[in-house]
Amino acid sequence: MRIGVVHETAAGERRVALIPQEVDGLRKAGHEVLVETGAGVAAGFPDAAYAERGAVIASATDVLGAEVVLFVRAPGSDPTLADALLAWLRPGQVTVGLADPLGAPAAAAALATAGITSFALDLLPRITRAQAMDVLSSQATLAGYKAALLAASRLNKIFPMLTTAAGTLPPARALVIGAGVAGLQAIATCKRLGAVVSAYDVRPAAREQAESVGATFVDLGLDAADAETTGGYAAALGEDFYRRQREALGKVVAASDIVITTAQVQGVRAPILVTAEMVHAMAPGSVVVDLAAAQGGNCELSEPDTEVDVDGVTLLAPTNLPATVPAHASRLYAKNLTNFLKLLIVDGAVRLDLDDPIIADTLVTHDGEVVAPRVRERLGLA
Amino acid sequence: MRIGVVHETAAGERRVALIPQEVDGLRKAGHEVLVETGAGVAAGFPDAAYAERGAVIASATDVLGAEVVLFVRAPGSDPTLADALLAWLRPGQVTVGLADPLGAPAAAAALATAGITSFALDLLPRITRAQAMDVLSSQATLAGYKAALLAASRLNKIFPMLTTAAGTLPPARALVIGAGVAGLQAIATCKRLGAVVSAYDVRPAAREQAESVGATFVDLGLDAADAETTGGYAAALGEDFYRRQREALGKVVAASDIVITTAQVQGVRAPILVTAEMVHAMAPGSVVVDLAAAQGGNCELSEPDTEVDVDGVTLLAPTNLPATVPAHASRLYAKNLTNFLKLLIVDGAVRLDLDDPIIADTLVTHDGEVVAPRVRERLGLA
């Protein structure tokens, strides 16, 4: 099959869906790989590196004409990809990438109308067999790492304890809220840098994981038995629960030099965990990094991709930290994606095995229809 | 005595010479402490915090009228402090701070003419008894830490090795050139973050120190027996030596994801260690952080406080990283400074004990004359 790799178009996007090392495997499986001119440059992979592996450097038109088109940010996830793209794609083509179909269901509807068979890797089930394809986890790991670095870069103190001839500096105090993949990596990175780290998560099961990477778990004494879905993601809880949670968290936030929030619930607005009042109670020079900004934010005052100063407290709400480590982010993404393709393409043809939850859960549109139940629901088609 | 603390005026300077905690000791010793309005705000110390400790919040005029005036960046080190300041100071007043008298001897000459008794903490001898006052070391430690963070923030990869379900990312490779105080802290911080770190220094004695914080020492096979002064600072070597050094270093630089250079020689231009050719040989996405930029730079292409992109390689040349962690930098600086003041002010009066090398070496101007021999030399007065 002809497999196309696009040059990403979203603002600030530096990742690429396939890196040169992954061209080999696809070619051995009999595929022709078309890479759009300059697709990997921002990630550190020049065209020549793809060409050396046997990929064809091609125009956007050719790449978008391939039978399978690979994206990091497919229509939906990339708001700039819309009508223009759909005009190039033909019925029966397959697209694979992050597509945010729950957040941007209209894009899914448009892909369905265009007759595209589209897969959203955001919808991969959290089952063992899917781990090697789990782009959300691989990218969240990098986001957590960079969130800690960002906080350390902006804090008016250093993280580690420092003993000098002129006395001792105490270590910085970090609080990480949400101990999922990103949160755990943020904890580990803050800890590596020498901070004293506390962590909080509504899911009681997160305590052991947070402690295993060096955090002290903050017990707010709240009951949250329903905080985890059967799929392993955090579930949405009632506003009353969040209110009590904010009250209890306030004191911990005020005593922290940095706060990193990572609480996201798939497909719905992120809960507000850090209020304006809590930010005002922090010491000047402190830093909040809100990793849920793309979903509305965990901090009441954060603005996506904008630095906000609140009486000397710096609020950062980066929506795409993986793109700031594009070489490694692309490498992990490309490996996840090619693992998915091995399952999707069998003997040179796309096989829609809907008995396989990996295929069934990620398939969003096919044969002119939006087929993913949760996306249909959002579009009022359920 | 009346001791004044100025609101620093240099661009980007966020430090303050005295923090509220150090007010106590000065008041107990019988001094009155005048703090200029807003002096500590950028470092996280509001006026109220000084007032609580018994300092008087005062105007610039009052602060500059004190018998002893404390600076982080005194005239010379702060290029914006010049004639205007001198118009306020009166003969017999004492100034203490970083003053860069070897780099900016004209400022010293002006202070002499104005009849100021000025001390440059940059000239402290590296003797055991002066360690608790050593502002160059305390600030260099912070600069080294932040240089590593800056490199990590900008590299297109993550520093630590990461093992995921989709394979393993190898650790980043860092090279630190110059294993003094800043270099050692840069090594330690890169190492904490998980990078594989190499280090190089012309002083053979630096090997053990670099290795003790986790670096592999790069042996270029060059003889540099005269590389260390009796004072413990790096000495200037001949251009032939530097040429051979660059040739040997080139390969190590090309194989590194990040290069941090910290090679400074007091009072002279920093040696060029990383040439344009060496930067061009680095992989796109790599980062060079040049900590010697204020002294002309160790990298041929770096521009002070400006980000330079060389075919995808990012060059950073920050001249004042300690100011980016102003709370801790001010805390260490203030402790260093008050330790110096304890020696300088005895029984309520400034005592110019020129038999004490700490006083003798740091005294730059007194009684209408430039008295520091190396500064006199630069002014053609020797």
PDB file of all heavy atoms in Angstrom, chain B residues 174-180 182-184 186-187 197-202 218 220 245 249-250 252-253 258-264 271 273-274 278 288-289 291-292 298:
ATOM      1  N   ALA B 174      25.438  15.016  27.284  1.00  0.00           N
ATOM      2  CA  ALA B 174      25.806  16.391  27.608  1.00  0.00           C
ATOM      3  C   ALA B 174      27.321  16.496  27.738  1.00  0.00           C
ATOM      4  O   ALA B 174      27.971  15.584  28.237  1.00  0.00           O
ATOM      5  CB  ALA B 174      25.144  16.820  28.906  1.00  0.00           C
ATOM      6  N   LEU B 175      27.852  17.618  27.262  1.00  0.00           N
ATOM      7  CA  LEU B 175      29.273  17.909  27.444  1.00  0.00           C
ATOM      8  C   LEU B 175      29.380  19.238  28.182  1.00  0.00           C
ATOM      9  O   LEU B 175      28.787  20.232  27.748  1.00  0.00           O
ATOM     10  CB  LEU B 175      29.980  18.015  26.089  1.00  0.00           C
ATOM     11  CG  LEU B 175      31.414  18.571  26.122  1.00  0.00           C
ATOM     12  CD1 LEU B 175      32.353  17.626  26.876  1.00  0.00           C
ATOM     13  CD2 LEU B 175      31.937  18.808  24.696  1.00  0.00           C
ATOM     14  N   VAL B 176      30.105  19.241  29.282  1.00  0.00           N
ATOM     15  CA  VAL B 176      30.314  20.472  30.032  1.00  0.00           C
ATOM     16  C   VAL B 176      31.790  20.837  29.925  1.00  0.00           C
ATOM     17  O   VAL B 176      32.656  20.041  30.295  1.00  0.00           O
ATOM     18  CB  VAL B 176      29.889  20.314  31.510  1.00  0.00           C
ATOM     19  CG1 VAL B 176      30.202  21.583  32.291  1.00  0.00           C
ATOM     20  CG2 VAL B 176      28.399  19.980  31.598  1.00  0.00           C
ATOM     21  N   ILE B 177      32.062  22.010  29.399  1.00  0.00           N
ATOM     22  CA  ILE B 177      33.447  22.452  29.220  1.00  0.00           C
ATOM     23  C   ILE B 177      33.741  23.517  30.282  1.00  0.00           C
ATOM     24  O   ILE B 177      33.078  24.554  30.331  1.00  0.00           O
ATOM     25  CB  ILE B 177      33.683  23.022  27.810  1.00  0.00           C
ATOM     26  CG1 ILE B 177      33.278  21.995  26.750  1.00  0.00           C
ATOM     27  CG2 ILE B 177      35.150  23.427  27.645  1.00  0.00           C
ATOM     28  CD1 ILE B 177      33.460  22.492  25.316  1.00  0.00           C
ATOM     29  N   GLY B 178      34.707  23.233  31.108  1.00  0.00           N
ATOM     30  CA  GLY B 178      35.023  24.110  32.234  1.00  0.00           C
ATOM     31  C   GLY B 178      34.371  23.545  33.484  1.00  0.00           C
ATOM     32  O   GLY B 178      33.170  23.673  33.666  1.00  0.00           O
ATOM     33  N   ALA B 179      35.159  22.911  34.332  1.00  0.00           N
ATOM     34  CA  ALA B 179      34.599  22.242  35.502  1.00  0.00           C
ATOM     35  C   ALA B 179      34.916  23.019  36.771  1.00  0.00           C
ATOM     36  O   ALA B 179      35.393  22.476  37.764  1.00  0.00           O
ATOM     37  CB  ALA B 179      35.104  20.801  35.585  1.00  0.00           C
ATOM     38  N   GLY B 180      34.642  24.324  36.730  1.00  0.00           N
ATOM     39  CA  GLY B 180      34.717  25.131  37.944  1.00  0.00           C
ATOM     40  C   GLY B 180      33.408  24.993  38.700  1.00  0.00           C
ATOM     41  O   GLY B 180      32.688  24.008  38.545  1.00  0.00           O
ATOM     42  N   ALA B 182      30.496  26.618  38.424  1.00  0.00           N
ATOM     43  CA  ALA B 182      29.319  26.554  37.553  1.00  0.00           C
ATOM     44  C   ALA B 182      29.293  25.238  36.785  1.00  0.00           C
ATOM     45  O   ALA B 182      28.253  24.584  36.684  1.00  0.00           O
ATOM     46  CB  ALA B 182      29.320  27.737  36.574  1.00  0.00           C
ATOM     47  N   GLY B 183      30.437  24.850  36.263  1.00  0.00           N
ATOM     48  CA  GLY B 183      30.512  23.619  35.485  1.00  0.00           C
ATOM     49  C   GLY B 183      30.147  22.393  36.306  1.00  0.00           C
ATOM     50  O   GLY B 183      29.412  21.516  35.846  1.00  0.00           O
ATOM     51  N   LEU B 184      30.653  22.335  37.526  1.00  0.00           N
ATOM     52  CA  LEU B 184      30.353  21.176  38.374  1.00  0.00           C
ATOM     53  C   LEU B 184      28.855  21.091  38.669  1.00  0.00           C
ATOM     54  O   LEU B 184      28.264  20.023  38.674  1.00  0.00           O
ATOM     55  CB  LEU B 184      31.153  21.235  39.681  1.00  0.00           C
ATOM     56  CG  LEU B 184      32.661  20.996  39.520  1.00  0.00           C
ATOM     57  CD1 LEU B 184      33.389  21.276  40.840  1.00  0.00           C
ATOM     58  CD2 LEU B 184      32.951  19.569  39.050  1.00  0.00           C
ATOM     59  N   ALA B 186      26.500  22.316  36.768  1.00  0.00           N
ATOM     60  CA  ALA B 186      25.859  21.950  35.495  1.00  0.00           C
ATOM     61  C   ALA B 186      25.964  20.442  35.275  1.00  0.00           C
ATOM     62  O   ALA B 186      24.994  19.789  34.877  1.00  0.00           O
ATOM     63  CB  ALA B 186      26.501  22.710  34.332  1.00  0.00           C
ATOM     64  N   ILE B 187      27.137  19.887  35.564  1.00  0.00           N
ATOM     65  CA  ILE B 187      27.315  18.434  35.443  1.00  0.00           C
ATOM     66  C   ILE B 187      26.333  17.715  36.360  1.00  0.00           C
ATOM     67  O   ILE B 187      25.602  16.811  35.947  1.00  0.00           O
ATOM     68  CB  ILE B 187      28.757  18.015  35.830  1.00  0.00           C
ATOM     69  CG1 ILE B 187      29.774  18.556  34.826  1.00  0.00           C
ATOM     70  CG2 ILE B 187      28.868  16.496  35.944  1.00  0.00           C
ATOM     71  CD1 ILE B 187      31.230  18.444  35.296  1.00  0.00           C
ATOM     72  N   VAL B 197      26.915  12.390  30.979  1.00  0.00           N
ATOM     73  CA  VAL B 197      27.647  13.651  30.989  1.00  0.00           C
ATOM     74  C   VAL B 197      29.152  13.444  30.830  1.00  0.00           C
ATOM     75  O   VAL B 197      29.754  12.627  31.523  1.00  0.00           O
ATOM     76  CB  VAL B 197      27.390  14.420  32.310  1.00  0.00           C
ATOM     77  CG1 VAL B 197      27.977  15.827  32.218  1.00  0.00           C
ATOM     78  CG2 VAL B 197      25.901  14.485  32.634  1.00  0.00           C
ATOM     79  N   SER B 198      29.723  14.204  29.901  1.00  0.00           N
ATOM     80  CA  SER B 198      31.177  14.280  29.781  1.00  0.00           C
ATOM     81  C   SER B 198      31.606  15.667  30.219  1.00  0.00           C
ATOM     82  O   SER B 198      30.833  16.615  30.144  1.00  0.00           O
ATOM     83  CB  SER B 198      31.617  14.078  28.322  1.00  0.00           C
ATOM     84  OG  SER B 198      31.205  12.820  27.856  1.00  0.00           O
ATOM     85  N   ALA B 199      32.837  15.774  30.684  1.00  0.00           N
ATOM     86  CA  ALA B 199      33.329  17.079  31.118  1.00  0.00           C
ATOM     87  C   ALA B 199      34.765  17.243  30.671  1.00  0.00           C
ATOM     88  O   ALA B 199      35.509  16.274  30.525  1.00  0.00           O
ATOM     89  CB  ALA B 199      33.241  17.196  32.635  1.00  0.00           C
ATOM     90  N   TYR B 200      35.109  18.504  30.428  1.00  0.00           N
ATOM     91  CA  TYR B 200      36.488  18.809  30.062  1.00  0.00           C
ATOM     92  C   TYR B 200      36.926  20.084  30.765  1.00  0.00           C
ATOM     93  O   TYR B 200      36.123  21.013  30.959  1.00  0.00           O
ATOM     94  CB  TYR B 200      36.639  18.976  28.546  1.00  0.00           C
ATOM     95  CG  TYR B 200      37.999  19.472  28.178  1.00  0.00           C
ATOM     96  CD1 TYR B 200      39.106  18.620  28.266  1.00  0.00           C
ATOM     97  CD2 TYR B 200      38.204  20.798  27.804  1.00  0.00           C
ATOM     98  CE1 TYR B 200      40.375  19.092  27.988  1.00  0.00           C
ATOM     99  CE2 TYR B 200      39.476  21.271  27.521  1.00  0.00           C
ATOM    100  CZ  TYR B 200      40.560  20.406  27.618  1.00  0.00           C
ATOM    101  OH  TYR B 200      41.815  20.862  27.362  1.00  0.00           O
ATOM    102  N   ASP B 201      38.157  20.118  31.181  1.00  0.00           N
ATOM    103  CA  ASP B 201      38.729  21.323  31.785  1.00  0.00           C
ATOM    104  C   ASP B 201      40.220  21.290  31.503  1.00  0.00           C
ATOM    105  O   ASP B 201      40.821  20.223  31.484  1.00  0.00           O
ATOM    106  CB  ASP B 201      38.453  21.337  33.299  1.00  0.00           C
ATOM    107  CG  ASP B 201      38.708  22.716  33.907  1.00  0.00           C
ATOM    108  OD1 ASP B 201      39.882  23.165  33.906  1.00  0.00           O
ATOM    109  OD2 ASP B 201      37.758  23.345  34.372  1.00  0.00           O
ATOM    110  N   VAL B 202      40.815  22.476  31.275  1.00  0.00           N
ATOM    111  CA  VAL B 202      42.260  22.509  31.035  1.00  0.00           C
ATOM    112  C   VAL B 202      43.052  22.152  32.288  1.00  0.00           C
ATOM    113  O   VAL B 202      44.200  21.729  32.200  1.00  0.00           O
ATOM    114  CB  VAL B 202      42.740  23.906  30.572  1.00  0.00           C
ATOM    115  CG1 VAL B 202      42.387  24.134  29.120  1.00  0.00           C
ATOM    116  CG2 VAL B 202      42.215  25.020  31.453  1.00  0.00           C
ATOM    117  N   VAL B 218      36.934  14.028  29.813  1.00  0.00           N
ATOM    118  CA  VAL B 218      37.460  13.898  28.461  1.00  0.00           C
ATOM    119  C   VAL B 218      38.945  14.252  28.494  1.00  0.00           C
ATOM    120  O   VAL B 218      39.310  15.361  28.865  1.00  0.00           O
ATOM    121  CB  VAL B 218      36.736  14.865  27.496  1.00  0.00           C
ATOM    122  CG1 VAL B 218      37.327  14.765  26.096  1.00  0.00           C
ATOM    123  CG2 VAL B 218      35.247  14.572  27.482  1.00  0.00           C
ATOM    124  N   LEU B 220      42.035  15.062  26.409  1.00  0.00           N
ATOM    125  CA  LEU B 220      42.396  15.436  25.042  1.00  0.00           C
ATOM    126  C   LEU B 220      43.874  15.173  24.751  1.00  0.00           C
ATOM    127  O   LEU B 220      44.338  15.401  23.643  1.00  0.00           O
ATOM    128  CB  LEU B 220      42.090  16.921  24.787  1.00  0.00           C
ATOM    129  CG  LEU B 220      40.634  17.356  24.950  1.00  0.00           C
ATOM    130  CD1 LEU B 220      40.509  18.842  24.654  1.00  0.00           C
ATOM    131  CD2 LEU B 220      39.718  16.560  24.036  1.00  0.00           C
ATOM    132  N   GLN B 245      43.400  22.429  21.318  1.00  0.00           N
ATOM    133  CA  GLN B 245      42.281  22.038  22.162  1.00  0.00           C
ATOM    134  C   GLN B 245      40.980  21.966  21.336  1.00  0.00           C
ATOM    135  O   GLN B 245      40.188  21.038  21.465  1.00  0.00           O
ATOM    136  CB  GLN B 245      42.140  23.083  23.271  1.00  0.00           C
ATOM    137  CG  GLN B 245      41.124  22.757  24.329  1.00  0.00           C
ATOM    138  CD  GLN B 245      41.017  23.903  25.325  1.00  0.00           C
ATOM    139  OE1 GLN B 245      40.697  25.040  24.978  1.00  0.00           O
ATOM    140  NE2 GLN B 245      41.302  23.622  26.573  1.00  0.00           N
ATOM    141  N   LEU B 249      38.566  18.801  20.755  1.00  0.00           N
ATOM    142  CA  LEU B 249      37.212  18.875  21.306  1.00  0.00           C
ATOM    143  C   LEU B 249      36.132  18.695  20.243  1.00  0.00           C
ATOM    144  O   LEU B 249      35.003  18.307  20.558  1.00  0.00           O
ATOM    145  CB  LEU B 249      36.987  20.232  21.985  1.00  0.00           C
ATOM    146  CG  LEU B 249      37.267  20.341  23.470  1.00  0.00           C
ATOM    147  CD1 LEU B 249      37.040  21.787  23.921  1.00  0.00           C
ATOM    148  CD2 LEU B 249      36.379  19.399  24.281  1.00  0.00           C
ATOM    149  N   GLY B 250      36.476  18.998  19.002  1.00  0.00           N
ATOM    150  CA  GLY B 250      35.477  19.006  17.937  1.00  0.00           C
ATOM    151  C   GLY B 250      34.637  17.744  17.859  1.00  0.00           C
ATOM    152  O   GLY B 250      33.409  17.794  17.763  1.00  0.00           O
ATOM    153  N   VAL B 252      34.061  15.519  20.175  1.00  0.00           N
ATOM    154  CA  VAL B 252      33.207  15.331  21.353  1.00  0.00           C
ATOM    155  C   VAL B 252      31.974  16.228  21.242  1.00  0.00           C
ATOM    156  O   VAL B 252      30.858  15.815  21.543  1.00  0.00           O
ATOM    157  CB  VAL B 252      33.982  15.645  22.650  1.00  0.00           C
ATOM    158  CG1 VAL B 252      33.154  15.241  23.868  1.00  0.00           C
ATOM    159  CG2 VAL B 252      35.322  14.945  22.654  1.00  0.00           C
ATOM    160  N   VAL B 253      32.190  17.457  20.778  1.00  0.00           N
ATOM    161  CA  VAL B 253      31.068  18.387  20.615  1.00  0.00           C
ATOM    162  C   VAL B 253      30.056  17.837  19.612  1.00  0.00           C
ATOM    163  O   VAL B 253      28.848  17.836  19.866  1.00  0.00           O
ATOM    164  CB  VAL B 253      31.573  19.779  20.171  1.00  0.00           C
ATOM    165  CG1 VAL B 253      30.417  20.669  19.727  1.00  0.00           C
ATOM    166  CG2 VAL B 253      32.356  20.447  21.299  1.00  0.00           C
ATOM    167  N   ILE B 258      23.876  18.295  24.021  1.00  0.00           N
ATOM    168  CA  ILE B 258      24.008  19.631  24.580  1.00  0.00           C
ATOM    169  C   ILE B 258      25.455  19.880  24.984  1.00  0.00           C
ATOM    170  O   ILE B 258      26.173  18.968  25.402  1.00  0.00           O
ATOM    171  CB  ILE B 258      23.080  19.902  25.783  1.00  0.00           C
ATOM    172  CG1 ILE B 258      23.574  19.188  27.030  1.00  0.00           C
ATOM    173  CG2 ILE B 258      21.643  19.522  25.505  1.00  0.00           C
ATOM    174  CD1 ILE B 258      23.058  19.852  28.283  1.00  0.00           C
ATOM    175  N   VAL B 259      25.860  21.127  24.834  1.00  0.00           N
ATOM    176  CA  VAL B 259      27.194  21.565  25.249  1.00  0.00           C
ATOM    177  C   VAL B 259      27.011  22.790  26.141  1.00  0.00           C
ATOM    178  O   VAL B 259      26.321  23.744  25.760  1.00  0.00           O
ATOM    179  CB  VAL B 259      28.072  21.921  24.027  1.00  0.00           C
ATOM    180  CG1 VAL B 259      29.406  22.514  24.481  1.00  0.00           C
ATOM    181  CG2 VAL B 259      28.293  20.692  23.150  1.00  0.00           C
ATOM    182  N   ILE B 260      27.575  22.731  27.325  1.00  0.00           N
ATOM    183  CA  ILE B 260      27.530  23.874  28.240  1.00  0.00           C
ATOM    184  C   ILE B 260      28.964  24.325  28.464  1.00  0.00           C
ATOM    185  O   ILE B 260      29.809  23.525  28.877  1.00  0.00           O
ATOM    186  CB  ILE B 260      26.874  23.485  29.586  1.00  0.00           C
ATOM    187  CG1 ILE B 260      25.414  23.069  29.362  1.00  0.00           C
ATOM    188  CG2 ILE B 260      26.957  24.645  30.591  1.00  0.00           C
ATOM    189  CD1 ILE B 260      24.721  22.513  30.592  1.00  0.00           C
ATOM    190  N   THR B 261      29.255  25.585  28.147  1.00  0.00           N
ATOM    191  CA  THR B 261      30.619  26.069  28.311  1.00  0.00           C
ATOM    192  C   THR B 261      30.675  27.094  29.443  1.00  0.00           C
ATOM    193  O   THR B 261      29.803  27.955  29.559  1.00  0.00           O
ATOM    194  CB  THR B 261      31.149  26.719  27.025  1.00  0.00           C
ATOM    195  OG1 THR B 261      30.440  27.933  26.780  1.00  0.00           O
ATOM    196  CG2 THR B 261      30.988  25.800  25.828  1.00  0.00           C
ATOM    197  N   THR B 262      31.700  26.964  30.262  1.00  0.00           N
ATOM    198  CA  THR B 262      31.810  27.835  31.443  1.00  0.00           C
ATOM    199  C   THR B 262      33.225  28.331  31.637  1.00  0.00           C
ATOM    200  O   THR B 262      33.609  28.709  32.741  1.00  0.00           O
ATOM    201  CB  THR B 262      31.409  27.066  32.722  1.00  0.00           C
ATOM    202  OG1 THR B 262      32.468  26.151  33.046  1.00  0.00           O
ATOM    203  CG2 THR B 262      30.113  26.303  32.553  1.00  0.00           C
ATOM    204  N   ALA B 263      34.013  28.343  30.556  1.00  0.00           N
ATOM    205  CA  ALA B 263      35.440  28.651  30.710  1.00  0.00           C
ATOM    206  C   ALA B 263      35.679  30.159  30.730  1.00  0.00           C
ATOM    207  O   ALA B 263      35.563  30.831  29.706  1.00  0.00           O
ATOM    208  CB  ALA B 263      36.248  27.987  29.593  1.00  0.00           C
ATOM    209  N   GLN B 264      35.984  30.683  31.895  1.00  0.00           N
ATOM    210  CA  GLN B 264      36.269  32.102  32.032  1.00  0.00           C
ATOM    211  C   GLN B 264      37.625  32.274  32.693  1.00  0.00           C
ATOM    212  O   GLN B 264      38.027  31.470  33.517  1.00  0.00           O
ATOM    213  CB  GLN B 264      35.202  32.770  32.899  1.00  0.00           C
ATOM    214  CG  GLN B 264      33.798  32.576  32.349  1.00  0.00           C
ATOM    215  CD  GLN B 264      32.774  33.411  33.067  1.00  0.00           C
ATOM    216  OE1 GLN B 264      32.999  34.590  33.294  1.00  0.00           O
ATOM    217  NE2 GLN B 264      31.654  32.810  33.419  1.00  0.00           N
ATOM    218  N   PRO B 271      38.203  32.288  26.399  1.00  0.00           N
ATOM    219  CA  PRO B 271      38.750  31.611  25.216  1.00  0.00           C
ATOM    220  C   PRO B 271      37.627  31.048  24.331  1.00  0.00           C
ATOM    221  O   PRO B 271      36.601  30.604  24.833  1.00  0.00           O
ATOM    222  CB  PRO B 271      39.583  30.478  25.816  1.00  0.00           C
ATOM    223  CG  PRO B 271      38.951  30.212  27.149  1.00  0.00           C
ATOM    224  CD  PRO B 271      38.476  31.548  27.646  1.00  0.00           C
ATOM    225  N   LEU B 273      36.248  28.186  22.528  1.00  0.00           N
ATOM    226  CA  LEU B 273      36.431  26.732  22.595  1.00  0.00           C
ATOM    227  C   LEU B 273      35.546  26.009  21.592  1.00  0.00           C
ATOM    228  O   LEU B 273      35.842  24.906  21.162  1.00  0.00           O
ATOM    229  CB  LEU B 273      36.088  26.238  24.011  1.00  0.00           C
ATOM    230  CG  LEU B 273      36.921  26.873  25.119  1.00  0.00           C
ATOM    231  CD1 LEU B 273      36.356  26.506  26.478  1.00  0.00           C
ATOM    232  CD2 LEU B 273      38.364  26.409  25.007  1.00  0.00           C
ATOM    233  N   VAL B 274      34.420  26.630  21.264  1.00  0.00           N
ATOM    234  CA  VAL B 274      33.473  26.016  20.322  1.00  0.00           C
ATOM    235  C   VAL B 274      33.372  26.942  19.110  1.00  0.00           C
ATOM    236  O   VAL B 274      32.831  28.041  19.199  1.00  0.00           O
ATOM    237  CB  VAL B 274      32.094  25.820  20.979  1.00  0.00           C
ATOM    238  CG1 VAL B 274      31.101  25.232  19.983  1.00  0.00           C
ATOM    239  CG2 VAL B 274      32.208  24.929  22.211  1.00  0.00           C
ATOM    240  N   MET B 278      32.417  23.747  14.560  1.00  0.00           N
ATOM    241  CA  MET B 278      31.980  22.728  15.517  1.00  0.00           C
ATOM    242  C   MET B 278      30.455  22.771  15.707  1.00  0.00           C
ATOM    243  O   MET B 278      29.808  21.739  15.843  1.00  0.00           O
ATOM    244  CB  MET B 278      32.695  22.931  16.857  1.00  0.00           C
ATOM    245  CG  MET B 278      34.161  22.478  16.822  1.00  0.00           C
ATOM    246  SD  MET B 278      35.188  23.358  18.054  1.00  0.00           S
ATOM    247  CE  MET B 278      34.785  22.449  19.529  1.00  0.00           C
ATOM    248  N   VAL B 288      23.546  24.625  22.607  1.00  0.00           N
ATOM    249  CA  VAL B 288      24.778  25.091  23.244  1.00  0.00           C
ATOM    250  C   VAL B 288      24.394  26.211  24.212  1.00  0.00           C
ATOM    251  O   VAL B 288      23.678  27.139  23.837  1.00  0.00           O
ATOM    252  CB  VAL B 288      25.782  25.653  22.209  1.00  0.00           C
ATOM    253  CG1 VAL B 288      27.024  26.209  22.909  1.00  0.00           C
ATOM    254  CG2 VAL B 288      26.167  24.581  21.195  1.00  0.00           C
ATOM    255  N   VAL B 289      24.835  26.089  25.467  1.00  0.00           N
ATOM    256  CA  VAL B 289      24.629  27.170  26.430  1.00  0.00           C
ATOM    257  C   VAL B 289      26.004  27.717  26.801  1.00  0.00           C
ATOM    258  O   VAL B 289      26.837  26.988  27.356  1.00  0.00           O
ATOM    259  CB  VAL B 289      23.888  26.692  27.697  1.00  0.00           C
ATOM    260  CG1 VAL B 289      23.705  27.853  28.674  1.00  0.00           C
ATOM    261  CG2 VAL B 289      22.533  26.093  27.338  1.00  0.00           C
ATOM    262  N   LEU B 291      28.054  30.056  28.999  1.00  0.00           N
ATOM    263  CA  LEU B 291      27.983  30.845  30.234  1.00  0.00           C
ATOM    264  C   LEU B 291      29.073  31.908  30.317  1.00  0.00           C
ATOM    265  O   LEU B 291      29.127  32.660  31.281  1.00  0.00           O
ATOM    266  CB  LEU B 291      28.073  29.927  31.466  1.00  0.00           C
ATOM    267  CG  LEU B 291      26.805  29.154  31.843  1.00  0.00           C
ATOM    268  CD1 LEU B 291      26.974  28.519  33.205  1.00  0.00           C
ATOM    269  CD2 LEU B 291      25.583  30.061  31.836  1.00  0.00           C
ATOM    270  N   ALA B 292      29.939  31.958  29.320  1.00  0.00           N
ATOM    271  CA  ALA B 292      31.016  32.946  29.344  1.00  0.00           C
ATOM    272  C   ALA B 292      30.681  34.163  28.489  1.00  0.00           C
ATOM    273  O   ALA B 292      31.549  34.981  28.190  1.00  0.00           O
ATOM    274  CB  ALA B 292      32.322  32.306  28.870  1.00  0.00           C
ATOM    275  N   ASN B 298      32.507  31.587  24.990  1.00  0.00           N
ATOM    276  CA  ASN B 298      33.335  30.443  24.621  1.00  0.00           C
ATOM    277  C   ASN B 298      32.968  29.906  23.245  1.00  0.00           C
ATOM    278  O   ASN B 298      33.678  29.073  22.689  1.00  0.00           O
ATOM    279  CB  ASN B 298      33.170  29.290  25.631  1.00  0.00           C
ATOM    280  CG  ASN B 298      33.706  29.606  27.006  1.00  0.00           C
ATOM    281  OD1 ASN B 298      33.089  29.262  28.009  1.00  0.00           O
ATOM    282  ND2 ASN B 298      34.863  30.268  27.062  1.00  0.00           N
TER     283      ASN B 298
END
